[in-house]
Amino acid sequence: MRQKPLAFYVPEPSGRPGHATDFSYLRLQPAGAAPKPPIDVPPYDTRDLAMGLIRVLDEHDEAVGPWAEDPPDDELLRKGLQAMIRTRIFDARVLIAQRQKKTSFYMQSLGEEAICIGQVLAMRDGDMHFPSYRQQGLLIARDYPLVEMLCQIFSNDKDPLKGRQLPVLYSVPEMGFFTLSGNLATQFPQAVGWAMASAIKGDTRIAAAWIGDGATAESDYQTALTFAHVYRAPVILNIINNQWAISTFQGVAGGEGITLAARGIGTGLASLRVDGNDFLAVYAASKWAADRARNNHGATLIEWVSYRAGPHSTSDDPSKYRPADDWARFPLGDPITRLKQHMIRRGIWSEQEHQATQKACEAEVVAAQKAAESHGTLASGRTSSVATMFEDVYKDMPAHLRRQRQQLGV
Amino acid sequence: MAEKTKLKTRPMTMIQALRSAMDIMLERDDDIVIFGQDVGYFGGVFRCTEGLQAKYGSSRVFDAPISESGIVGAAIGMGAYGLRPVVEIQFADYFYPATDQIFSEAARLRYRSAGGYTAPLTIRMPCGGGIFGGQTHSQSPEALFTHVAGLRTVMPSNPYDAKGLLISSIENDDPVIFLEPKRLYNGPFDGHHDQPVVPWSKHPQGNVPEGYYTVPLDSAALYREGGELTVITYGTMVYVAEVAAREAGIEADIIDLRSIWPLDLETILASVRKTGRCVVLHEATRTSGFGAELVALVQEHCFYHLEAPIERVTGWDTPYPHSHEWAYFPGPKRVAEAFKRAVREA
């Protein structure tokens, strides 16, 4: 009998420009369906949660199911919603500034605002965050001055990073916001190491790591999972599955036919898969994972299912690889709209308050931008002193760098 | 060296000296942790961490999964927390999986965060050949580190320096790549592989203070003073240089760099300006090896003092072979020939 030739397989997204995406691959579950185990659950017993989807807000904007118990108070919800609105407005304004060449580059977090904002509000001061480049909400939710962020983006003479870093690669030690790197996934084992250090010292602080779906294919991702499991590190390992790594569909990162959370089960980590556009689910799952870590039950891997609504970056045009109306058709909707509707239904928010908040945030961002621009932008060429280029390579400047600085005449 | 005579000393191998350095630093600083493959209970495949876990507990000294990027990545996170990790990569030949963490992260943490975060790590790696280690137990990858801004690369050649340099490296706030020539772990080696190895107990530099002392980074040692020729080298090649000079009948200044980069340029320049002749030696392969940088520096700063072309004796531009070990290793014969060319032919 003749054997059929082997067939090479390459995953493809169902939707391409001019052709709608079939989102049935998302393995959705109704709100309230997923159980909530105790925080000391053995990792393997979370396998159904890793394959399912934790959701709190249902289609009527009601909070339902076991993950809706012990909800955040009204004030926290208002804070969360306001931070999401600010983040989105901030993103929109900086996008325009990039088009005006005031900065070379920007990356929005459109559609993903609930995830890092919901989590950071479930954490404590002193906890450490190892973000990727799309968690600006971590800073905004904690009221880090927008003007500082903008000075970094504009690389001006008040840039805290002295013009050394690409825009959005912030570093804010005073907020436990680790220095961002362009190299994907490297921060994942670093977060585990920070958590190990906290345990070594008998501290009570925990760490949170952030990665995108695409970067889970990096070797540092699996390395981090192994170390987190081996040493029971007090860390939350967050994967934002926004379905896209630049132009590449999450199936090419290994997400086809399986969830990304499922990989945690194989590594011995408690693993959750959560509706990333459901602020209440984000808060509840983050709180659960933080409690688990803080009580020495080890790490939790969380896959946040969301959608990258905007372009990958200001250098990207998604219309070349995916349908233009994809976000509108994404089944988990818009995190701001969903929380807003829920809060209005609960009587703790109103359309008027929403519009007033939007207005106030716009005014705040405009004022911050004006203040930042008074210190220069990339376009104005008013940047930090060139002499600082040679500083901080080492703690003390070695002789060869002093010579090079002299050669440059600065 | 004056300090050395005041301290109580005893004979140590390089292994014992390195262990003593780690022991002292674990004792002095609660923020120091040591981990890597097999370094915990077992005490390391080269015994460099023997007894340390029993003495300090497994939260200070522990075994790690076989994952170089995980070891270095976790150490960087610990450094960000405020610890001072001393990690081991079992062989320098196996640092490559950690390249991204070392080059993109540890080396640049301070710079990219404008001093907000630092990586006060020491990464120990046994390196070098001459032990029939073949391709992946013999390499000398120092040039891969010296090319990276933000790293310090250090290599001792004897027990005294090994301990003092390791203590300095651990205390230094920059990331330090600490390369240990495993051929020198038990005794000096001059390349005469057919002769019995002399243990460190018979060598003056094998007499090591028991307590705390440091050998400063960025300072070279003038290992032997000659006057006819300057030899710039480090690690095992220091001893090869010594025997080759004797066999060639040449009085050579032998400079043991100790800190490969950043280096002690003044000591090099002072010697070459005196001798007018220079030979650079290393085990690592030739092309784009660290010798090229040394040759360039000497040429740039000593051009009008030079009386002969600068020579380089290095490993060949091949992977490190097994059966042809002694044809590959830059031994005394090849080195002596270069010395003679540098001194007599030009």
Side-chain angles (χ1 to χ4, degrees), chain A residues 128 160 164-165 171 173 177 179-181 183 186 190 193-194 201 203 205 220 223 231 389 391-392 394-395 400, chain B residues 30-31 63-64 67 69-70 73-74 77-78 81 100-101 104-105 110-114 117 150-151 173-174:
Chain A
M128 186 72 184
R164 294 178 189 154
Q165 269 286 43
S171 174
F177 185 100
T179 165
L180 283 176
S181 170
N183 295 64
T186 49
Q190 292 165 1
W194 193 98
K201 298 303 275 186
D203 199 345
R205 296 179 289 159
D220 271 341
T223 292
Y231 300 109
M389 181 168 74
E391 293 169 1
D392 296 324
Y394 298 88
K395 186 182 185 190
H400 69 281
Chain B
D30 282 344
D31 289 334
D63 290 316
S67 171
S69 68
M78 290 179 185
Y81 178 92
D100 197 23
Q101 290 288 350
S104 310
E105 300 290 319
R110 179 188 295 277
Y111 189 73
R112 76 170 195 240
S113 67
Y117 293 96
L151 295 180
D173 290 328
D174 300 321

Side-chain angles (χ1 to χ4, degrees), chain B residues 129 172 187-188 271 344:
Chain B
N172 193 282
S271 175
R344 294 186 190 135

Side-chain angles (χ1 to χ4, degrees), chain A residues 373-386:
Chain A
E373 285 188 25
S374 76
H375 301 294
T377 65
L378 197 65
S380 75
R382 205 173 126 196
T383 60
S384 58
S385 155
V386 178

Side-chain angles (χ1 to χ4, degrees), chain A residues 5-325:
Chain A
L6 296 169
F8 181 55
Y9 180 72
V10 179
E12 270 295 321
S14 57
R16 284 297 191 188
H19 185 84
T21 300
D22 172 7
F23 282 108
S24 63
Y25 75 90
L26 282 173
R27 312 173 73 96
L28 302 182
Q29 267 191 325
K36 185 177 183 181
I39 56 167
D40 60 352
V41 63
Y44 188 68
D45 292 350
T46 61
R47 60 195 181 278
D48 290 343
L49 291 167
M51 294 299 290
L53 192 67
I54 295 168
R55 305 176 69 183
V56 169
L57 293 174
D58 69 11
E59 61 269 35
H60 310 295
D61 310 311
E62 299 267 22
V64 298
W67 292 87
E69 291 158 19
D70 190 21
D73 61 33
D74 297 352
E75 204 38 54
L76 191 138
L77 289 181
R78 295 168 69 92
K79 171 99 186 144
L81 184 58
Q82 192 241 23
M84 290 200 280
I85 292 168
R86 281 171 86 211
T87 302
R88 187 167 292 183
I89 289 168
F90 183 82
D91 279 356
R93 292 288 310 189
V94 185
L95 190 66
I96 294 166
Q98 192 276 338
R99 298 304 187 220
Q100 295 168 334
K101 301 192 189 320
K102 289 172 180 168
T103 180
S104 61
F105 182 75
Y106 192 65
M107 304 180 99
Q108 303 176 78
S109 62
L110 184 65
E112 301 170 32
E113 296 93 342
I115 306 168
C116 61
I117 291 171
Q119 177 155 113
V120 79
L121 296 178
M123 302 282 274
R124 292 183 191 161
D125 283 351
D127 292 338
M128 186 72 184
H129 306 272
F130 288 79
S132 79
Y133 47 69
R134 226 185 288 278
Q135 279 82 55
Q136 50 265 61
L138 291 176
L139 292 171
I140 292 174
R142 292 175 70 206
D143 301 316
Y144 181 65
L146 300 181
V147 65
E148 297 280 317
M149 295 170 77
L150 285 159
C151 287
Q152 196 280 328
I153 289 165
F154 292 147
S155 296
N156 63 22
D157 64 11
K158 282 276 194 288
D159 172 3
L161 305 183
K162 303 180 185 177
R164 294 178 189 154
Q165 269 286 43
L166 204 62
V168 316
L169 299 185
Y170 314 105
S171 174
V172 188
E174 65 270 27
M175 292 217 145
F177 185 100
F178 193 64
T179 165
L180 283 176
S181 170
N183 295 64
L184 293 178
T186 49
Q187 77 282 1
F188 234 51
Q190 292 165 1
V192 175
W194 193 98
M196 289 164 68
S198 187
I200 286 168
K201 298 303 275 186
D203 199 345
T204 57
R205 296 179 289 159
I206 64 170
W210 295 88
I211 203 168
D213 48 279
T216 64
E218 292 281 4
S219 55
D220 271 341
Y221 166 77
Q222 196 60 50
T223 292
L225 266 56
T226 301
F227 275 61
H229 162 68
V230 168
Y231 300 109
R232 292 192 196 168
V235 62
I236 305 175
L237 299 166
N238 295 291
I239 306 166
I240 295 195
N241 186 349
N242 66 18
Q243 317 306 318
W244 293 95
I246 309 185
S247 74
T248 307
F249 169 63
Q250 65 102 39
V252 177
E256 196 167 74
I258 189 76
T259 69
L260 296 180
R263 289 199 230 163
I265 300 298
T267 319
L269 294 171
S271 304
L272 311 177
R273 188 166 179 266
V274 184
D275 179 345
N277 294 359
D278 175 345
F279 184 89
L280 290 176
V282 173
Y283 182 85
S286 297
K287 182 86 171 33
W288 185 92
D291 287 346
R292 179 176 169 85
R294 246 182 265 285
N295 285 284
N296 287 309
H297 302 307
T300 302
L301 181 81
I302 309 178
E303 176 188 352
W304 305 102
V305 181
S306 186
Y307 188 83
R308 194 196 76 212
H312 165 69
S313 73
T314 49
S315 309
D316 176 46
D317 176 7
S319 73
K320 297 276 192 283
Y321 52 81
R322 70 183 188 187
D325 64 343

